[in-house]
DNA sequence: CTTAAAAAATGACGATTGTCAGCTTTCTTA
DNA sequence: TAAGAAAGCTGACAATCGTCATTTTTTAAG
């Protein structure tokens, strides 16, 4: 269980920050950053923001995991990304000055800090390293999404599942993948039933091991092979 | 036929620029920009850059159209975007300092100016409006791609074709869509044969009219309806 | 511990879509 | 303008995948 009082979390000691866009801050800047953020505890399945709402700032994940998704015309979710500790979410739409085109929701209980739009834009104005880091990050994500699109368009569900599981190995940091079958299906882009059948195949092929909902990858190489890389 | 000598093209008089990221430049800046660019004539199907090569600068489309695409594991192209006059291509990977993850190739003969990496980065450093414009543009494209991914994952080929044609109406500025069946299939994300069969359906349903390769949209509303928006 | 609700799993079945092979039309260029 | 190449089109067929209905297992709440 996470500590619901999180006064102890500071930017200075935040472990996620060290691998984040805010990693280069000097101690003065950290002081300033720390005093302009508000930390919040989120329950499992709690929304950070909804599709269609207006951005008010950025969210820094101190601990936990957040899914970024979009609803298709029939209401089915498509997961675009799963963000973990150290990542910042919600700032992309802030720049476009348009409502969010995606939604964000915790996958587990999480500690997430909030920095207001004004404060964050000021920070960017005065900090070229942060600014360039963000430009770099946005560009990198664009490249990733070109890849994602190509996979969606050209690969079979089986291949996409393998590809997705490789991503999830990183997201879950080599711990067993702990997602509902539905979320997993919505990330792969398939029906839950199809996903379950394919998991069964993978299990029979000795690629994974399943304990109820948790999936342990036994053979990463086979996944690499199936995914076609 | 385009003029192969393009000395007459200047940033000051470039019609595409007015709706581009460079539209706010004052006359001094334009002068400077103009003297740091090189204009080139490209034949149909000529590459601007290849997947895997390193970015050397940005390309400004003065006239013509460019497809941005990626090859899947079996070598099949997936078109990610079609850029037209006024758009800039090739700068996304420049920021990541990694090789291009996509390729760019003209769809028709084109006049395209080139601005070197150094020059462009300097321009961005000294020009906050350009800088913010680029951040905004990158963010907007990310939102578009989330949409694209969701469509790919959840819609039928028929629905995607309708959706794609709506995009192409804009790209071709209400003129008949003039793409090879293969390119069209590679944009929709389907086999060329499937695409051809669906075009036949659309024709029989009175949605489009076909003169050899050119496709004229007769009923945009039906497309909207089919695409599910 | 029991029970209700939610999630996971299975089966049957049909529609969509990709593949392959062959044919026709259009375009290119010599 | 003729010939070859490229693009467009058609048919047949099979596999993948989604849908719907039902059952089993797991989780959460009292």
């Amino acid at each position: 269980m996470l500590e619901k009082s999180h006064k102890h979390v500071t930017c200075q000691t935040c472990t996620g920050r060290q691998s984040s866009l805010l990693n280069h801050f000097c101690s003065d800047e950290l002081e300033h950053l720390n005093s302009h953020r508000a930390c919040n505890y989120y329950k499992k399945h709690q929304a950070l923001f909804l599709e269609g709402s207006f951005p008010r700032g950025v969210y820094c994940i101190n601990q936990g995991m957040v899914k970024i998704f979009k609803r298709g015309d029939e209401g089915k979710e498509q997961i675009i990304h799963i963000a973990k500790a150290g990542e910042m979410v919600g700032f992309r739409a802030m720049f476009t000055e348009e409502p969010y085109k995606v939604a964000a929701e915790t996958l587990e209980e999480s500690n997430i800090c909030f920095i207001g739009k004004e404060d964050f834009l000021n920070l960017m104005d005065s900090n070229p390293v942060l600014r360039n880091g963000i430009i770099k990050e946005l560009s990198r994500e664009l490249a990733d999404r070109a890849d994602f699109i190509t996979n969606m368009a050209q690969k079979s569900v089986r291949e996409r599942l393998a590809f997705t599981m490789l991503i999830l190995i990183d997201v879950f940091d080599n711990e067993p993948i702990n997602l509902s079958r539905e979320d997993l299906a919505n990330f792969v882009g398939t029906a839950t039933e199809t996903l379950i059948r394919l998991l069964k195949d993978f299990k029979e092929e000795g690629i994974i091991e399943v304990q109820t909902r948790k999936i342990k990858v036994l053979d990463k190489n086979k996944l690499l092979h199936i995914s076609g890389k």
Side-chain angles (χ1 to χ4, degrees), chain A:
Chain A
M1 196 57 144
L2 288 188
E3 189 62 67
K4 298 206 185 189
S5 147
H6 35 258
K7 296 194 186 96
H8 61 292
V9 177
T10 66
C11 296
Q12 286 86 348
T13 59
C14 175
T15 51
R17 190 184 56 76
Q18 278 141 43
S19 55
S20 83
L21 283 168
L22 307 172
N23 69 345
H24 64 283
F25 277 35
C26 68
S27 65
D28 272 8
E29 288 171 317
L30 276 182
E31 186 74 44
H32 182 257
L33 180 62
N34 195 51
S35 65
H36 282 80
R37 64 140 236 293
C39 198
N40 289 300
Y41 166 83
Y42 286 78
K43 289 182 295 198
K44 208 180 201 181
H45 300 143
Q46 200 176 339
L48 274 67
F49 52 82
L50 303 173
E51 205 171 326
S53 66
F54 274 88
R56 299 178 305 107
V58 306
Y59 301 82
C60 259
I61 307 176
N62 167 65
Q63 205 171 125
M65 278 178 20
V66 172
K67 69 173 168 183
I68 309 293
F69 63 98
K70 192 170 172 68
R71 276 185 201 286
D73 299 322
E74 255 84 290
K76 184 177 161 71
E77 284 182 15
Q78 176 61 43
I79 297 183
I80 306 292
H81 178 69
I82 295 181
K84 56 178 179 174
E87 284 186 63
M88 285 177 11
V89 304
F91 62 87
R92 291 145 195 90
M94 208 175 72
F95 300 128
T96 66
E97 292 166 354
E98 281 167 25
Y100 283 116
K101 297 259 168 66
V102 293
E105 188 181 304
T106 54
L107 285 169
E108 55 184 29
E109 41 177 7
S110 308
N111 280 328
I112 299 173
C113 297
F114 179 81
I115 306 169
K117 181 172 169 171
E118 281 301 304
D119 288 328
F120 193 77
L121 292 179
N122 286 337
L123 216 55
M124 276 180 65
D125 264 343
S126 61
N127 193 323
V129 180
L130 172 59
R131 203 159 65 209
N132 289 332
I134 284 187
I135 293 178
K136 203 164 168 170
E137 174 64 19
L138 293 173
S139 303
R140 220 189 326 248
E141 285 179 20
L142 272 174
D144 281 350
R145 293 204 185 164
D147 221 37
F148 201 158
I149 290 167
T150 308
N151 282 334
M152 280 294 177
Q154 301 189 359
K155 285 189 202 289
S156 67
V157 177
R158 179 179 159 91
E159 291 168 322
R160 297 205 308 262
L161 174 57
F163 182 81
T164 303
M165 291 190 67
L166 288 168
I167 294 175
L168 290 174
I169 289 172
D170 282 338
V171 173
F172 283 87
D173 211 12
N174 289 306
E175 295 295 306
I177 296 167
N178 187 10
L179 276 182
S180 72
R181 299 292 184 261
E182 196 180 351
D183 278 337
L184 194 44
N186 290 342
F187 202 2
V188 174
T190 188
T192 308
E193 294 92 328
T194 302
L195 176 107
I196 288 170
R197 285 179 240 270
L198 287 171
L199 281 183
K200 195 175 159 191
D201 292 347
F202 278 13
K203 197 163 59 182
E204 283 165 4
E205 293 169 49
I207 300 171
I208 59 171
E209 200 174 74
V210 174
Q211 313 122 12
T212 66
R213 86 190 316 235
K214 286 187 188 167
I215 300 166
K216 195 165 157 190
V217 175
L218 301 175
D219 194 338
K220 197 168 160 176
N221 282 330
K222 270 193 192 158
L223 287 182
L224 275 163
H225 184 248
I226 293 169
S227 83
K229 288 286 174 175

